[in-house]
Amino acid sequence: YDMKKSKIAWIVGMVFALVLSLSGSVYAGFYFESEQSTVGVPGQSPGKKLIKTYLTDNFSRTEQDDSITIMDYKTMTSYELNPDNKTYTRNDMTKLQGMGEMKGASEAQMQRIAKQMADSISIVRTDETKTIAGYDCRKYDVQFMMATGVYWVTKDIKGYDELRKLTLDMAKAFDKNPMMKQMNMMAIMAQMDGFPVKTIMNVMGGRIITTVKNVEEKSLDSALFEVPKGYALVQNQ
């Protein structure tokens, strides 16, 4: 059970999943806000929270509760920031992260597990449509290992073609990771041919509902994708 719990926590993190140039410059990109509601999922705090996401062609930043994740897709490095104590950790995204029970596993074992995870993915387009948060959406039924649910996706977003290009470019970056090459969440989303406005996932007896409130195509300050001055690097346990 502990292995399953750890694996699900890692998967949920990757799903929501979704990492340094001169300060003061700006990047063309997207900003969106989502509301996430979690009930009864092992390893996840119950309740609602606001998730803020910033995307460019080389970086992403996700803010939720008291944590910030920055991903640099050029160097395949991620940074987990803790604003409360001004510390951060640094991870190599080309290596498997977040699944402690697999420490010491051979590359062949990791590849085999990755393939099993990839083979468990099922995405089925339906004819059901509805308007969510002002967007015309289509429903997809999704199954992923121990998680099942639905994705409501849309193309009815200003700058959708550019947003799709960004996610596909990020998906290619994960080819360097032996696990994510097999089960890349961004590549999976691309199969739906739309941006997910609302997702409802049933995970280990619980449920996670995420709804995008707004999406903006805008210029983003490069400082968003840098570790702030004064933060101390701490080693991962």
Side-chain angles (χ1 to χ4, degrees):
Y1 178 80
D2 287 341
M3 288 181 62
K4 289 183 178 180
K5 180 177 178 181
S6 177
K7 188 174 294 183
I8 282 295
W10 180 82
I11 291 169
V12 170
M14 292 305 298
V15 170
F16 302 108
L18 341 92
V19 251
L20 292 158
S21 68
L22 297 176
S23 179
S25 61
V26 295
Y27 300 123
F30 288 85
Y31 166 74
F32 53 93
E33 293 183 355
S34 306
E35 182 181 84
Q36 186 177 107
S37 175
T38 302
V39 178
V41 179
Q44 299 292 311
S45 300
K48 293 183 179 180
K49 60 183 175 183
L50 180 67
I51 301 176
K52 299 180 179 180
T53 303
Y54 306 80
L55 294 176
T56 76
D57 55 351
N58 289 314
F59 303 94
S60 71
R61 174 187 175 108
T62 304
E63 302 176 2
Q64 52 183 313
D65 292 337
D66 56 356
S67 68
I68 298 172
T69 300
I70 297 172
M71 295 186 178
D72 181 342
Y73 298 101
K74 294 186 300 183
T75 63
M76 290 303 291
T77 305
S78 68
Y79 303 87
E80 299 287 340
L81 280 60
N82 185 331
D84 288 342
N85 58 19
K86 295 191 182 306
T87 60
Y88 72 98
T89 59
R90 181 171 56 214
N91 296 297
D92 181 351
M93 293 194 296
T94 65
K95 299 178 180 178
L96 184 63
Q97 303 288 343
M99 296 182 73
E101 73 275 8
M102 290 186 63
K103 289 182 179 179
S106 68
E107 182 175 349
Q109 289 174 316
M110 290 192 294
Q111 292 285 4
R112 183 166 58 254
I113 292 173
K115 186 177 186 305
Q116 291 173 348
M117 296 173 78
D119 290 344
S120 74
I121 298 168
S122 171
I123 301 172
V124 179
R125 182 181 187 271
T126 76
D127 293 328
E128 188 173 349
T129 61
K130 71 163 59 173
T131 300
I132 300 175
Y135 299 107
D136 294 331
C137 301
R138 178 174 296 278
K139 178 183 175 183
Y140 283 76
D141 292 324
V142 179
Q143 182 171 344
F144 181 70
M145 293 193 66
M146 292 170 283
T148 61
V150 299
Y151 273 53
W152 291 94
V153 308
T154 187
K155 295 182 182 179
D156 188 21
I157 288 178
K158 183 179 179 180
Y160 169 74
D161 289 340
E162 180 60 27
L163 179 57
R164 179 175 173 81
K165 180 180 182 300
L166 287 182
T167 57
L168 290 176
D169 288 345
M170 291 176 189
K172 292 177 183 177
F174 281 107
D175 283 349
K176 301 173 185 177
N177 182 305
M179 179 66 77
M180 294 306 295
K181 184 175 182 179
Q182 296 290 338
M183 42 148 285
N184 189 301
M185 296 312 300
M186 291 181 181
I188 292 168
M189 285 165 49
Q191 295 179 41
M192 300 180 196
D193 194 22
F195 178 81
V197 174
K198 184 173 184 176
T199 64
I200 304 171
M201 297 303 297
N202 303 304
V203 183
M204 295 184 68
R207 175 170 288 189
I208 300 174
I209 301 175
T210 305
T211 306
V212 172
K213 296 302 183 180
N214 69 290
V215 182
E216 300 177 44
E217 187 176 13
K218 62 189 299 184
S219 297
L220 302 175
D221 192 327
S222 63
L224 286 167
F225 310 104
E226 302 170 357
V227 176
K229 293 182 178 179
Y231 274 61
L233 175 65
V234 296
Q235 298 299 321
N236 292 323
Q237 299 298 319

